[in-house]
Amino acid sequence: MKPIVAIVGRPNVGKSTLFNRLVGRRKAIVDDMPGVTRDRNYGEVDRFAVPFTLIDTGGFEPASEDRLLQQMREQSQLAMEEADVILFVMDARQGLIVADREVAEMLRKVDKPVFFVLNKVEGEKQEADLLEFYALGVDALYPISAEHNRGVDDLMDEVIASFPPMGEMEDDEDVTRIAVVGRPNVGKSSLVNRLLGFERVVANPVPGTTRDSVDTYFTCNKKRYLLIDTAGIRRKGRISLKVEKYSAVDALRSLDRADVALIVINAEDGVTEQDARIAGYACEAGRACILVVNKWDLLKKDNTTVGKFAELLRYEMKYLSYAPILFVSALTGQRTAKIIAMVEEVMAEYSKRITTSELNRVFTEVITSHHHPLYQGRRVKFYYVTQVGTKPPTFAVFTNCPEGIQESYERYLANRFREAFGFSGTPLRFLFRGREH
């Protein structure tokens, strides 16, 4: 496993700006509003000598009694427990304040490398005014400007030198990545917490509490997983705050790095237009999909309720007819134990490879039983098919007329391949190519 570096500190000292600088792209939400990064936010950093995982955290306010700030403090403490190295970021412009002293006192008790970082230092003249921070009783201070990349590379040279030997870390190539997506307040964070068995994600009754995507590694039945709890995706017209706009983008990016999407739907609301749109995002991203109907315990049911709801899902999400459906309750734990087993099933299909001979045996039967319509008066001929990829299963189909293949015929091929080979829970991709000479 890669080394883990956690960025901690009070709200609004520039932790997310440093996170984005190190990751090399705008992954964390950056805003002048204190407390905008509420949960831990993970990113993979590969632009330095040694790749590592970086954790951005909600601001650490030691003396605050506010419930949300208390939860943010708990998230920071969990991040420090997970990390191999800690970056404690302070605001050099504000100077040393009581809260910084309290956090520093706590960090002195941590048996890990801790780097005391003074952010927002724009020049040498400002560095001369930082002597008060030595009152923290530390040997070294690291003045930087995360916004302008001043001093960041020097800091990272020291951080990387403090990493544990690579031999102590396990390979994470075999990790199954699961994105939990859905509208705000459908119970995504509660579902994540239920799956993990502890309060890993801030679950708060206020819709939209989870703004950044939040990642957690865990092991189940000796298999390793990465669980990504995404911010709720709102309709564009409903996104009023600037940070909410970033959150929707972040959730979509989370799908890009997942293998399996758990599309969470609130049973009380039925299937909304936005549910269908989110499912479409997952389908377009080429992810294996499971439809998870949450809060099932809150519905009044009879022996037809499951069938009717499933029928409604299939009608509203025709393009996800291959996705299995689970009816669960994150609150009570009802059927949540089936989720990981279902993830394993769809991952097997998502990674499935069919031999070329078997593919062409079925393919010949398929194109013979239903010919493609003429294209501009020409007969469309198919020669052969071969699988060129997995995750999702991807097939190259060689034809005399790749530009003339109709979408309806592509759907026909996908349906017939599913009948022959399964592929439950996974989209299929077809690449139509001209015959090689």
Side-chain angles (χ1 to χ4, degrees), residues 63-74:
S64 174
E65 295 303 319
D66 180 87
R67 177 55 189 151
L68 188 56
L69 286 178
Q70 281 183 339
Q71 290 177 316
M72 290 161 66
R73 180 169 68 245
E74 291 163 6

Side-chain angles (χ1 to χ4, degrees), residues 317-349:
M317 302 181 182
K318 296 182 179 69
Y319 45 85
L320 280 183
S321 59
Y322 55 82
I325 304 171
L326 288 175
F327 296 90
V328 308
S329 168
L331 182 65
T332 67
Q334 180 185 18
R335 283 188 287 275
T336 55
K338 294 184 177 182
I339 292 176
I340 297 303
M342 184 63 72
V343 166
E344 278 302 301
E345 289 182 25
V346 299
M347 267 303 292
E349 300 296 302

Side-chain angles (χ1 to χ4, degrees), residues 91-371:
D91 187 337
R93 292 178 188 166
Q94 269 195 312
L96 182 61
I97 66 173
V98 173
D100 289 333
R101 292 179 184 270
E102 292 178 11
V103 176
E105 184 64 31
M106 174 180 291
L107 291 175
R108 269 198 290 268
K109 301 172 185 176
V110 175
D111 187 23
K112 296 176 181 179
V114 178
F115 291 82
F116 291 78
V117 180
L118 306 180
N119 192 28
K120 306 181 185 180
V121 178
E122 311 300 344
E124 293 181 8
K125 182 177 179 182
Q126 196 176 354
E127 281 189 36
D129 299 328
L130 303 178
L131 294 178
E132 63 175 319
F133 285 94
Y134 282 101
L136 295 173
V138 299
D139 295 329
L141 297 171
Y142 295 86
I144 70 164
S145 170
E147 185 174 358
H148 299 102
N149 202 29
R150 185 177 187 273
V152 174
D153 289 344
D154 292 338
L155 166 66
M156 294 315 300
D157 287 342
E158 297 288 334
V159 169
I160 289 169
S162 73
F163 285 165
M166 292 299 289
E168 297 179 12
M169 302 184 182
E170 28 175 318
D171 185 14
D172 63 355
E173 294 272 325
D174 61 341
V175 172
T176 298
R177 293 167 172 80
I178 308 167
V180 184
V181 298
R183 294 183 296 112
N185 213 32
V186 295
K188 297 183 303 298
S189 294
S190 297
L191 184 63
V192 168
N193 291 333
R194 171 65 65 174
L195 290 173
L196 296 172
F198 66 98
E199 192 172 344
R200 165 62 181 78
V201 177
V202 174
N204 190 303
V206 180
T209 298
T210 305
R211 288 176 175 170
D212 288 312
S213 297
V214 183
D215 297 4
T216 306
Y217 289 94
F218 72 100
T219 301
C220 181
N221 297 327
K222 298 183 180 179
K223 294 187 178 180
R224 298 185 62 237
Y225 301 89
L226 173 62
L227 198 57
I228 308 165
D229 176 37
T230 64
I233 307 176
R234 300 178 187 274
R235 287 198 303 274
K236 288 183 180 178
R238 297 282 299 277
I239 300 176
S240 55
L241 290 176
K242 182 170 60 172
V243 291
E244 298 291 2
K245 295 180 182 178
Y246 295 146
S247 295
V249 173
D250 188 64
L252 298 178
R253 285 177 176 167
S254 297
L255 285 168
D256 288 338
R257 59 194 179 92
D259 298 307
V260 180
L262 300 183
I263 302 164
V264 185
I265 297 159
N266 186 340
E268 290 186 297
D269 296 339
V271 184
T272 70
E273 180 184 343
Q274 183 65 349
D275 290 325
R277 186 173 291 113
I278 292 166
Y281 293 152
C283 181
E284 289 170 10
R287 302 300 160 239
C289 295
I290 300 172
L291 298 170
V292 181
V293 183
N294 191 28
K295 307 187 183 182
W296 193 243
D297 57 309
L298 301 181
L299 287 193
K300 292 181 179 179
K301 295 178 282 293
D302 57 32
N303 58 3
T304 66
T305 309
V306 168
K308 287 180 178 177
F309 204 104
E311 186 179 343
L312 177 64
L313 271 175
R314 295 303 185 205
Y315 178 79
E316 296 291 345
M317 302 181 182
K318 296 182 179 69
Y319 45 85
L320 280 183
S321 59
Y322 55 82
I325 304 171
L326 288 175
F327 296 90
V328 308
S329 168
L331 182 65
T332 67
Q334 180 185 18
R335 283 188 287 275
T336 55
K338 294 184 177 182
I339 292 176
I340 297 303
M342 184 63 72
V343 166
E344 278 302 301
E345 289 182 25
V346 299
M347 267 303 292
E349 300 296 302
Y350 192 54
S351 310
K352 182 184 285 186
R353 188 174 286 276
I354 310 297
T355 65
T356 301
S357 59
E358 183 66 7
L359 267 178
N360 282 280
R361 183 189 64 78
V362 171
F363 185 60
T364 301
E365 294 175 2
V366 168
I367 61 175
T368 302
S369 63
H370 179 54
H371 295 288

